[in-house]
C-alpha cells in the first residue's frame, strides 16, 4: 500500500512527459462579437490547418451568421485601424486597455460608411460592422482574431464568452430579456 502511494506521488511530482502539453485554460474576458440571436456555428477554429496543400496557421476563428448580421466590439476600446486587405476583406481592429487587439474581418462593406474610423472609442457591444464575405472567403462569416500585446495571435475561443454566457451578461445588465 505504501509503495503504491509513493509511486503515485512520484508520478504527480515528476515533470510532464515529452510531447505532452497542458490544455490551455478557457478564461473568458471578451463578449461574443456577433448578434447572439443570429449566430449559427463555428466553421473553423484557431490553429494549424491544411490550405491549398500546405499547413498554415489559422490565426482566428470563423463564426458563421447571416449576411448583414451585426458585428460588435467584444470589449470597449479604440479603433486602431480600418480598411481592406486582400485576404481579410473589409476589417476593423480595436485596441483594448490591456494593449491586446481584436480584429474583425470579411465585413460586408467599408466600416467608415458606418462612422467606424481610426481613433473612435467603441463601447463593448458597439457595432463595428456587418457580417459579409469580402476578401478570401467561402461564404458569409466573421473571422475574429485576438492579438496579444506583442502582436502574437492567440486562440480567441479561450477568451470569448459563449453566445449563451454573453446573453446572461446582457440580462444581468438589463439589456436583454
Amino acid at each position: 500500500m505504501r509503495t503504491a502511494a509513493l509511486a503515485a506521488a512520484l508520478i504527480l511530482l515528476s515533470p510532464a512527459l515529452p510531447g505532452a502539453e497542458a490544455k490551455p485554460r478557457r478564461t473568458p474576458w471578451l463578449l461574443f462579437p456577433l448578434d447572439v440571436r443570429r449566430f449559427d456555428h463555428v466553421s473553423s477554429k484557431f490553429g494549424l490547418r491544411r490550405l491549398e496543400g500546405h499547413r498554415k496557421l489559422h490565426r482566428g476563428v470563423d463564426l458563421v451568421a447571416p449576411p448583414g448580421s451585426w458585428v460588435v466590439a467584444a470589449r470597449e476600446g479604440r479603433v486602431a485601424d480600418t480598411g481592406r486587405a486582400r485576404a481579410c476583406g473589409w476589417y476593423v481592429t480595436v485596441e483594448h486597455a490591456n494593449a491586446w487587439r481584436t480584429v474583425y474581418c470579411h465585413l460586408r462593406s467599408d466600416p467608415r460608411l458606418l462612422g467606424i474610423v481610426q481613433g473612435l472609442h467603441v463601447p463593448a457591444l458597439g457595432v463595428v460592422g456587418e457580417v459579409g464575405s469580402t476578401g478570401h472567403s467561402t461564404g458569409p462569416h466573421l473571422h475574429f482574431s485576438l492579438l496579444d500585446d506583442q502582436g502574437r495571435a492567440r486562440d480567441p475561443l479561450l477568451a470569448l464568452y459563449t453566445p449563451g454566457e454573453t446573453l446572461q451578461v446582457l440580462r444581468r445588465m438589463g439589456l436583454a430579456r
Side-chain angles (χ1 to χ4, degrees), residues 16-67:
L17 296 172
E21 295 179 25
K23 185 177 179 183
R25 230 176 86 209
R26 182 174 168 264
T27 311
W29 61 278
L30 296 170
L31 297 170
F32 202 72
L34 286 172
D35 178 346
V36 296
R37 301 164 298 174
R38 315 246 3 239
F39 168 69
D40 190 359
H41 67 280
V42 173
S43 64
S44 186
K45 293 183 178 179
F46 178 89
L48 287 176
R49 66 180 186 175
R50 211 173 248 315
L51 284 172
E52 301 166 2
H54 302 287
R55 287 175 55 122
K56 189 172 181 182
L57 178 64
H58 186 235
R59 296 170 45 94
V61 61
D62 292 343
L63 307 171
V64 178

Side-chain angles (χ1 to χ4, degrees), residues 113-157:
L113 298 174
L114 298 173
I116 309 301
V117 295
Q118 188 173 355
L120 178 74
H121 176 270
V122 289
L125 301 179
V127 174
V128 295
E130 297 174 330
V131 170
S133 187
T134 59
H136 295 169
S137 171
T138 57
H141 72 281
L142 170 66
H143 173 88
F144 179 72
S145 293
L146 176 62
L147 305 175
D148 68 15
D149 56 351
Q150 302 297 311
R152 294 178 300 236
R154 300 297 183 168
D155 185 351
L157 290 179

